[in-house]
Amino acid sequence: MAQKQVIQQPGLPLSDPTQPSTTVDLEIASQWKLMWWKFRKHKLAMAGGIVVLLYYFVAILAEFFAPSLPTTYIDQYVFAPPQRLQFFQDGRFDPFVYGYGFERDPVSFKKTWLVDEETVIPVGLFVRGDEYTMYGLITSDLHFIGPEEKGQPFYLLGSDKSGRDIFSRIIYSSRVSLTVGLVGVAISLTLGILMGGLSGLVGGWVDNVIQRLIELLMSIPNLPIWLALAAVVPIDWPALRVYFMTTLILAVIGQYSWTYMARVVRSRFLSLREEDFVLAAMLDGCSTWRLIFKHMVPSFLSHIIASVTLAIPGMIIAETALSFLGLGLRPPVVSWGVMLQDSQKVGLIATSPWLLYPGLAVFIVVLALNFFGDGIRDAADPYH
Amino acid sequence: MWQYIFRRFGYMLFTLFVISIISFVVIQLPPGDYVDTLVNQMASESSGVSAEVEEQMRALYGLDQPVYVQYFKWVRNIVTRGEFGYSFVYRTDAREIIMDRLPMSFALALGAFLIVQLTSIPIGIYSAIKQYSIADYGFTFLGFVGRAIPNFLLALVLLYLSFRYFGRAMVGLFSEEFVDAPWSIARVMDLMRHLWIPAIIIGLDRGAGQIRTMRANLLDELNKPYVDTARAKGLSERRLLWKYPVRHAANPIISTIGWALPEFISGEAIVSIVLNLPTGGPIFLAALFAQDMFVAAGFILMFSVLTVIGTFISDVLLVWLDPRVRLQ
Amino acid sequence: MTDPLVEIKDLRIHFFTDEGVVRAVEGIDLNIKPGKTLCVVGESGSGKSVMALSLLQIIHKPGQIVDGQILYHRGRVAGGQFSQNGAVDIASLNRKGRDIRSIRGAEIAMIFQEPMTSLSPMYTVGNQVMETIRLHEKGISKKEARERAIDILRRVRIPKPERLIDEYPFRLSGGMRQRVMIAMALSCTPSLLIADEPTTALDVTTQAQILDLMLELQQEFNMAIMFITHDLGVVAEIADDVAVMYLGNVVEYSDVDTIFNAPEHPYTQALLRSIPKISATRQPLDMIEGMVPSPFRRPGGCPFHPRCTQALASCSTVVPSLTTLHENHIVRCLLHEETGEEVPRG
C-alpha cells in the first residue's frame, strides 16, 4: 500500500515570492511496492515467474491438460517416436498428426518406426478421452488436447517401454516433482527458522552447538547419505509414505536443507541486531516478541522468500536424482526422476532419445525458478 | 593462529567420530540383515535353512551382538587393522573393494575440483571487469544453464550424443587398451586424457555458481574506498585489480572451497553411476541395493573422511590467506 | 597575488545514469595556491567530493568530465623540486594512462573520509605505504623503502613505527589509520594534498590531533592542501581560503576572514547562521529552509533560488556569473552583479 504524505516545503516555487509556502505531494512507497517495481524491471525474472506459474497451473489441472492417463498404454506402440503436430490441412487450420508405420530390418529383425502420411489422426482441443477423477471430486473425460477419436495413438513426445504417452506422464509427474520442492522447502524452512532463530537470538552455547551441527551436516557428502537413508525406506510402503519420507530426507540433509535456511535466518538476525532501527525500537521499550515480529521479521521476509525460491530447484533436482537412481520415489508414482529411470539403460537412449524429455522439463522449470529467485533476491536487496 | 588450527582439528576429529556413527547406524537401519537376505535366497533355491543354522551364521558374521558392540568392533578394526568388515557379496574384506575404487573416485573429484577452481575464478574476474560485454552475457548465460542442468542429466545427454555421433560411449576413464592394464605412466596419461569430460560434467554446476559469485563479489569490491586509495597512489589498473579487489573478492570463495568437496564427491558418485565409470559410485549403489552393509558403510565413511579432511585443509588455507582470521 | 598551483576552469562533471544525467559539477572555476590551505565547504550533494576526485581523474563511472580544464602547474611549487615548467591539463589526460599515474600519489596525493575502509585489511601497513614509495621512486631498494616508510610513519607521530609497520590496518584505531593514510599520501612529498573529509569519521579529540598534524606537516613539506569538509568549525581553524559550493557551483570564494566576517552570498550567510552559538539566551537554531533538490531536478537560473530568502524574480531564469567584489573575493549571485566586476572567462 502506498501512503500519501504531504510535506510542507516553504519557499518552493519562487515564481511568486509573496506566497512563501506551498505543498508538494510525495508518495511514500511501501517495501513491497518498491520490491515489485524493481522486480518488474528484471525481464528474465518476470519471464521466469510466468513459466513457473504456468508449470504449477498445469500441475494442478494435470488430468485436464494431459491427453491421456499416465497408465493408459497401447501395446503395439512401444518406444514410438514423437509425432509432429501439423496445424494446417488443405490450407485451413485443422490440426492433426500422422499415424505410425514400421518396417523390420530383414537381417536383425529390428523394428524401425516410419511416418505414415496416409493415416491422418485429427487432433482437437477440448476433446473427450480417458475418464478421470480430479482430486476425488470431479469426474470428467474432457481433455485440453488430444486425438478427436479416443484410442488413436497420440504421442507428442513419444512413448515409453509400455506404450504410454511420455507427454501425459511428464504432466502428471510435474504434480509430484513440483510439490516435492514445495513440501521439502516448507519443512526445511520451518526447521531452519526455528534453529536459525534460536541460534541468532539466544546466542552463546546454543548458537555454538547449532553451528557445529550445521557444519557437521554440511561436511557430509549429501548423495551417499541420501542414498543410504533412501535405501532404508521399506519396499512395501505405500506411495504417499515414500513420498513424504523422501521429502523429509531431502529437507534434513543436503545443500538446500534446513541448514541452508538456518544460516540465512541466523545471519539476518545477527545483522539486524546491529541495525539502528532495532536499537531504537529496543530503547523505546518494545517487547521482544513485538521487536521480532513487528520489526525484524518483516525486514528479512523478502530475503527468506528469495532463499526459498532458490532452494526449490535444488529440491527438485535432488528428488529427480534420487528417483532416477531407483532409491527415491518408485513406480507406480510418476515423477520426472522415475521416468528417467528408463534412460539408465545406455542402449535405450541411443535408440529412443525422447526418453530424456522429462529431463528437459526439469531443466526448464529449474532455469525459470532460478531466474525468478534471482529477480526476487535482487529486488529484496535495498542496497543495490 | 595455532589455537584456531587446533580447534578446527578438534572439530574435524569430532566430525569424523559422528560421521562414523551415522554411517554405521544408517546401514543398520533397514529391517533384516544380510543373513535374512541369504536365507531368503536359499529358500527360493529350495534349500531351506533351519533357524539353528541361521543363528550360527549370525554369530559367524557377528550380527548377533548389540549394535554398539558391532560399531565398536567395526571402528576398532578400521583404525587398528585397516579392515572394513566382511563383504557378503564379494566374500572378502570390504577394504579391498573400497581401496580398489576409492582412489579413482578421489582422482575424479579432485580433477573436477581443480578444473572448476582454475577456470571459474578467472572467468568470474573477466566477467566483472568486462561487465555487460558479449563475453559477460555469454558466461552469465552459461552460468544459468549450468545451474539448471543436474549433472546426471548432463551425463545422460552426453552419453546420447556420443552414441548418436560416434556410435559408442565416448565417456570412460580409459582407452580400451588401458582398461585392464597395470598402472604405468602411459596409463596415467591416458586417464588424464579421459578424466576431463566427466570432471567437467561433475563441476559444471559448482563452476557456474562460482563464476556468478566471483563476478558479483568483484563488482562489489571494485567500488570500495580502498580501491580509490590504491588508484590515488598511481598504481596501474592491472596491478591494482589483482592486488586489491581480486584478492578481497576471492577470499570468501577460497574460504568456502572446503564446502565444495562434499558436492564434488556426490557429483562424482552419481555421474560415475550414469557413465558406469570404474569408481566408487556404482559399487556403492550396488552395495546399498544388496545390503552389503560393510561395503556401503565403508564407502560413506571414506567419502566423508575425504571431504572432512578437505574442509580442514581449506580452513588452514583461510588462516594463511586472511590476516583477519590469522590474528584473532 | 601568487600564481596558482592548480587552476580549475569551467569544470563540468556529469553522471550518465539510467535515470538521467546528474550534473554533479556544473562549471567550477577555482584556484589552488601553492603552500596554502583551501577549504571547500558544502552540503552533501554539492559536488565537492566529485570535484576533488576529478583532480586525480578517479571519478567513478558513470561520472565523466564533460568540459573544462584542470591546469596543474608543476613549476610553481614553493620549494621548487620540480623543474619542468608549463601546465598539464589533468582533465584531458587518459584516466588509465601513464601521465596521470605519475602525478597520482607523487605530486598530488589524496586522503579519504573513511580510514576504516580506505586501507586494505589484507596487507600490512608497511606494504601499503612502501607501495607508493617504490612505485614512484624507481630503483629504490626494498630496504630503503622500508626505512623511508618507517621515517614517514614517525613523522606522522605514530609510536614505535618499526613495530607498527608490520601491523595490519584492522588492528589500529581510527585515528592511527588516518595517520597511516596521511603517511602514505606524504611519502612522496606531493605538492598538493587533497583531503576529503578526513576527520569526519573520527571523534573530536582525534580530529583535533589530526588537523594539527596536517597543518604542521604542511609547513614541513611546503605543500598545498585542498580540504573538503562540511564542518565550518574546521574551516575556521585551518583554512587560508574558502570556496563555498552549492549544487555543483562555487557560489563564493574568498579568504577565511572575509568568508566568516563579511560573506556576500545568501547561501554563505545562511550557512554561517546555522552554526550553533553558545549564548546566554536560548534561541532556535537558524536553518536553511527547504532541502537540497534532487540531483535530477537541478533548478534553472541560480540553483539556490528556491531556498533563497533574498531571491529576485529574475533568479529563477538568469544564471548568475562570477563577480569579483574585491581582490580575492568572488561571488556568484545576481544581487552583486551590478556592484562588482565580472570575472573574465579564461
Side-chain angles (χ1 to χ4, degrees):
Chain A
M1 280 296 289
Q3 298 166 288
K4 284 218 167 158
Q5 256 193 21
V6 177
I7 289 184
Q8 290 278 325
Q9 235 188 12
L12 207 169
L14 269 187
S15 46
D16 181 10
T18 54
Q19 195 194 347
S21 119
T22 182
T23 57
V24 187
D25 284 351
L26 285 187
E27 232 184 341
I28 310 285
S30 74
Q31 181 197 3
W32 299 108
K33 192 149 190 168
L34 282 173
M35 264 181 76
W36 168 240
W37 287 344
K38 250 188 113 173
F39 181 79
R40 219 172 33 185
K41 273 177 37 186
H42 207 315
K43 294 278 179 303
L44 276 175
M46 278 297 276
I50 290 169
V51 171
V52 170
L53 283 181
L54 219 63
Y55 257 78
Y56 276 97
F57 183 66
V58 169
I60 289 169
L61 301 175
E63 288 87 350
F64 169 64
F65 281 105
S68 67
L69 297 177
T71 45
T72 309
Y73 65 95
I74 311 176
D75 46 15
Q76 66 200 99
Y77 295 107
V78 169
F79 293 126
Q83 289 164 316
R84 241 201 35 237
L85 191 61
Q86 316 278 340
F87 290 101
F88 294 98
Q89 198 175 358
D90 305 331
R92 62 195 171 80
F93 183 75
D94 186 11
F96 68 95
V97 290
Y98 289 118
Y100 288 101
F102 61 86
E103 64 182 15
R104 281 197 192 279
D105 188 297
V107 186
S108 71
F109 233 57
K110 236 169 89 184
K111 195 166 159 183
T112 313
W113 289 100
L114 297 173
V115 178
D116 175 11
E117 300 208 355
E118 301 294 299
T119 324
V120 164
I121 302 168
V123 173
L125 295 180
F126 303 103
V127 292
R128 302 281 161 186
D130 294 332
E131 196 176 88
Y132 54 81
T133 305
M134 215 187 257
Y135 302 106
L137 293 174
I138 309 159
T139 306
S140 168
D141 59 358
L142 193 68
H143 292 264
F144 178 64
I145 191 172
E148 278 176 2
E149 193 184 327
K150 192 182 158 186
Q152 296 267 46
F154 181 63
Y155 298 121
L156 287 181
L157 297 180
S159 73
D160 69 358
K161 61 179 183 227
S162 321
R164 294 172 298 196
D165 177 26
I166 290 186
F167 179 62
S168 300
R169 285 171 68 77
I170 286 179
I171 288 180
Y172 275 93
S173 292
S174 67
R175 188 173 275 173
V176 173
S177 297
L178 291 177
T179 52
V180 165
L182 286 185
V183 176
V185 168
I187 301 175
S188 66
L189 183 63
T190 315
L191 269 170
I193 289 183
L194 212 71
M195 301 291 264
L198 210 65
S199 207
L201 274 178
V202 180
W205 68 268
V206 176
D207 181 35
N208 217 340
V209 167
I210 294 176
Q211 288 314 301
R212 288 294 85 69
L213 182 68
I214 290 176
E215 270 182 34
L216 194 128
L217 285 173
M218 278 174 55
S219 60
I220 306 175
N222 303 334
L223 193 81
I225 293 281
W226 281 343
L227 291 180
L229 284 173
V232 172
V233 177
I235 308 236
D236 49 2
W237 271 19
L240 198 66
R241 216 139 119 218
V242 175
Y243 171 87
F244 277 113
M245 199 60 208
T246 309
T247 316
L248 193 65
I249 291 172
L250 297 181
V252 172
I253 290 171
Q255 208 186 341
Y256 292 106
S257 65
W258 69 272
T259 55
Y260 167 76
M261 294 295 171
R263 272 160 61 225
V264 174
V265 172
R266 175 177 177 268
S267 74
R268 286 279 103 200
F269 259 110
L270 289 185
S271 65
L272 276 176
R273 251 187 354 198
E274 310 292 318
E275 291 280 347
D276 289 340
F277 78 92
V278 173
L279 183 70
M282 254 153 72
L283 293 178
D284 270 355
C286 212
S287 78
T288 310
W289 286 112
R290 193 182 151 79
L291 186 70
I292 293 173
F293 288 100
K294 188 83 190 166
H295 295 280
M296 288 170 88
V297 170
S299 74
F300 71 66
L301 204 58
S302 51
H303 286 260
I304 297 287
I305 293 173
S307 307
V308 162
T309 330
L310 290 172
I312 292 174
M315 286 279 178
I316 293 177
I317 289 181
E319 181 275 322
T320 310
L322 270 188
S323 303
F324 166 73
L325 291 176
L327 285 167
L329 306 178
R330 305 158 187 156
V333 174
V334 275
S335 82
W336 293 324
V338 172
M339 291 182 72
L340 282 171
Q341 277 179 22
D342 290 344
S343 55
Q344 272 207 39
K345 296 183 192 73
V346 179
L348 274 184
I349 17 171
T351 53
S352 314
W354 50 89
L355 291 176
L356 290 175
Y357 274 124
L360 188 66
V362 178
F363 173 70
I364 292 172
V365 75
V366 170
L367 194 65
L369 277 163
N370 279 338
F371 281 139
F372 183 54
D374 274 2
I376 294 184
R377 191 183 50 196
D378 288 352
D381 190 348
Y383 301 109
H384 269 89
Chain B
M1 169 177 150
W2 285 108
Q3 199 193 346
Y4 175 84
I5 292 180
F6 275 125
R7 203 171 62 220
R8 301 309 307 188
F9 190 75
Y11 288 157
M12 180 180 82
L13 290 183
F14 178 71
T15 309
L16 284 178
F17 169 67
V18 176
I19 284 174
S20 72
I21 294 180
I22 294 177
S23 320
F24 196 77
V25 169
V26 159
I27 298 305
Q28 289 287 341
L29 281 177
D33 53 33
Y34 177 71
V35 172
D36 290 329
T37 319
L38 213 60
V39 168
N40 287 341
Q41 201 181 328
M42 287 174 171
S44 68
E45 287 161 13
S46 71
S47 53
V49 177
S50 70
E52 204 179 320
V53 175
E54 216 179 301
E55 281 317 303
Q56 277 177 0
M57 284 166 68
R58 282 218 164 78
L60 178 69
Y61 295 130
L63 296 175
D64 56 340
Q65 288 155 323
V67 175
Y68 63 89
V69 176
Q70 290 187 44
Y71 166 76
F72 177 72
K73 279 185 166 173
W74 182 65
V75 170
R76 190 191 58 196
N77 285 344
I78 291 175
V79 174
T80 58
R81 285 188 282 177
E83 287 175 4
F84 281 78
Y86 187 71
S87 163
F88 309 116
V89 175
Y90 298 93
R91 315 251 165 214
T92 168
D93 191 89
R95 176 184 54 188
E96 285 175 41
I97 320 297
I98 295 169
M99 289 310 160
D100 182 40
R101 293 298 190 102
L102 200 67
M104 211 58 96
S105 280
F106 184 62
L108 193 50
L110 194 69
F113 178 80
L114 289 178
I115 289 179
V116 164
Q117 302 307 336
L118 293 179
T119 54
S120 67
I121 293 182
I123 290 177
I125 294 171
Y126 183 83
S127 230
I129 49 180
K130 302 274 176 192
Q131 195 187 6
Y132 304 136
S133 66
I134 293 174
D136 180 31
Y137 282 119
F139 286 126
T140 304
F141 175 76
L142 185 80
F144 272 112
V145 170
R147 251 170 52 183
I149 299 190
N151 42 24
F152 73 93
L153 199 63
L154 188 62
L156 281 175
V157 170
L158 222 70
L159 213 54
Y160 163 67
L161 290 177
S162 76
F163 262 107
R164 178 91 169 66
Y165 295 103
F166 302 103
R168 63 196 171 91
M170 294 289 282
V171 271
L173 285 186
F174 296 102
S175 310
E176 264 172 51
E177 65 266 35
F178 285 109
V179 171
D180 293 315
W183 281 104
S184 63
I185 305 254
R187 193 171 189 238
V188 173
M189 294 309 288
D190 186 61
L191 177 64
M192 290 297 166
R193 271 197 298 278
H194 287 81
L195 195 71
W196 63 276
I197 296 179
I200 287 176
I201 297 176
I202 294 166
L204 187 68
D205 181 22
R206 179 82 191 186
Q210 278 193 7
I211 289 176
R212 293 172 49 76
T213 315
M214 185 66 202
R215 177 179 180 275
N217 286 357
L218 187 54
L219 284 175
D220 268 0
E221 295 293 335
L222 285 176
N223 289 320
K224 290 276 172 74
Y226 67 83
V227 180
D228 285 336
T229 308
R231 192 170 283 133
K233 281 176 178 177
L235 278 177
S236 71
E237 289 296 313
R238 176 182 296 261
R239 243 175 94 182
L240 176 144
L241 181 76
W242 287 96
K243 182 168 176 184
Y244 294 100
V246 165
R247 179 70 196 279
H248 284 243
N251 227 47
I253 292 183
I254 294 169
S255 66
T256 52
I257 259 181
W259 302 118
L261 285 167
E263 233 176 283
F264 284 100
I265 292 281
S266 290
E268 181 279 315
I270 192 162
V271 168
S272 294
I273 290 168
V274 175
L275 299 179
N276 200 19
L277 301 178
T279 72
I283 298 277
F284 169 65
L285 188 68
L288 281 178
F289 278 120
Q291 282 196 23
D292 194 358
M293 54 176 276
F294 288 122
V295 174
F299 266 117
I300 297 181
L301 185 68
M302 290 316 289
F303 281 150
S304 308
V305 166
L306 288 183
T307 61
V308 171
I309 292 175
T311 313
F312 175 69
I313 293 173
S314 94
D315 281 343
V316 174
L317 202 66
L318 178 64
V319 174
W320 178 60
L321 278 175
D322 192 337
R324 280 169 296 189
V325 182
R326 191 186 330 148
L327 295 171
Q328 250 159 29
Chain C
M1 214 176 123
T2 42
D3 286 333
L5 176 70
V6 176
E7 287 176 83
I8 299 174
K9 291 183 177 174
D10 197 31
L11 183 67
R12 283 162 208 271
I13 302 168
H14 294 179
F15 282 72
F16 299 91
T17 69
D18 292 342
E19 285 82 20
V21 178
V22 177
R23 289 179 287 171
V25 171
E26 189 64 356
I28 284 186
D29 295 82
L30 196 61
N31 291 344
I32 304 172
K33 298 171 191 162
K36 298 284 185 194
T37 304
L38 168 70
C39 278
V40 179
V41 198
E43 290 167 277
S44 359
S46 61
K48 55 192 194 307
S49 289
V50 175
M51 191 256 291
L53 291 173
S54 74
L55 289 179
L56 286 174
Q57 277 273 22
I58 52 174
I59 309 164
H60 289 195
K61 280 182 202 167
Q64 211 179 316
I65 298 178
V66 290
D67 199 8
Q69 288 179 309
I70 303 171
L71 295 178
Y72 168 53
H73 298 276
R74 278 202 161 122
R76 294 180 186 164
V77 184
Q81 296 125 296
F82 298 102
S83 54
Q84 303 105 306
N85 258 308
V88 184
D89 179 12
I90 290 176
S92 70
L93 294 179
N94 175 0
R95 55 190 289 170
K96 293 183 178 173
R98 198 173 289 270
D99 293 335
I100 187 67
R101 290 202 326 255
S102 69
I103 294 175
R104 287 178 191 160
E107 298 176 45
I108 302 179
M110 185 156 181
I111 52 181
F112 297 88
Q113 182 172 1
E114 283 281 340
M116 297 291 177
T117 49
S118 296
L119 288 165
S120 164
M122 295 295 208
Y123 301 95
T124 59
V125 166
N127 180 314
Q128 296 182 60
V129 176
M130 281 153 65
E131 187 178 38
T132 319
I133 300 171
R134 298 190 70 196
L135 194 67
H136 294 292
E137 287 173 38
K138 305 289 172 211
I140 191 168
S141 74
K142 216 169 179 174
K143 204 170 148 238
E144 283 172 302
R146 189 179 164 87
E147 276 162 17
R148 279 273 300 278
I150 293 175
D151 180 53
I152 192 82
L153 287 173
R154 185 175 295 120
R155 283 165 84 169
V156 297
R157 315 268 184 285
I158 280 177
K160 298 191 189 121
E162 309 80 14
R163 261 193 27 217
L164 190 124
I165 194 168
D166 294 318
E167 267 306 346
Y168 285 89
F170 59 89
R171 310 237 292 179
L172 306 179
S173 69
M176 278 297 151
R177 286 185 212 191
Q178 202 55 293
R179 281 168 201 265
V180 170
M181 281 297 290
I182 295 173
M184 217 157 79
L186 298 189
S187 58
C188 292
T189 56
S191 46
L192 170 62
L193 176 69
I194 303 167
D196 186 1
E197 308 205 21
T199 55
T200 311
L202 304 175
D203 63 73
V204 184
T205 339
T206 322
Q207 186 175 343
Q209 290 170 357
I210 295 285
L211 288 178
D212 286 347
L213 178 71
M214 285 181 68
L215 290 182
E216 242 180 272
L217 292 167
Q218 180 179 28
Q219 297 300 314
E220 212 176 312
F221 287 82
N222 205 350
M223 63 188 172
I225 293 181
M226 181 161 104
F227 198 102
I228 317 280
T229 184
H230 58 249
D231 184 342
L232 290 166
V234 171
V235 176
E237 204 172 317
I238 65 166
D240 293 311
D241 294 311
V242 181
V244 181
M245 280 187 71
Y246 186 78
L247 277 186
N249 285 135
V250 172
V251 294
E252 188 163 11
Y253 170 88
S254 190
D255 58 88
V256 64
D257 290 335
T258 314
I259 288 288
F260 277 90
N261 298 322
E264 293 294 349
H265 196 283
Y267 178 63
T268 317
Q269 292 165 352
L271 265 189
L272 289 167
R273 274 200 305 274
S274 68
I275 305 177
K277 293 177 197 70
I278 303 170
S279 58
T281 52
R282 274 174 152 250
Q283 47 185 328
L285 195 60
D286 257 322
M287 291 193 310
I288 305 180
E289 287 181 330
M291 311 181 272
V292 179
S294 149
F296 297 105
R297 273 180 259 154
R298 198 172 184 275
C302 169
F304 186 58
H305 81 262
R307 301 169 71 190
C308 183
T309 47
Q310 304 167 44
L312 310 167
S314 52
C315 283
S316 58
T317 48
V318 181
V319 180
S321 49
L322 289 174
T323 315
T324 305
L325 296 179
H326 322 283
E327 196 200 328
N328 209 25
H329 190 180
I330 300 169
V331 73
R332 188 191 275 271
C333 179
L334 287 184
L335 292 171
H336 299 282
E337 271 198 4
E338 286 82 48
T339 55
E341 182 192 333
E342 195 175 326
V343 175
R345 278 283 158 94

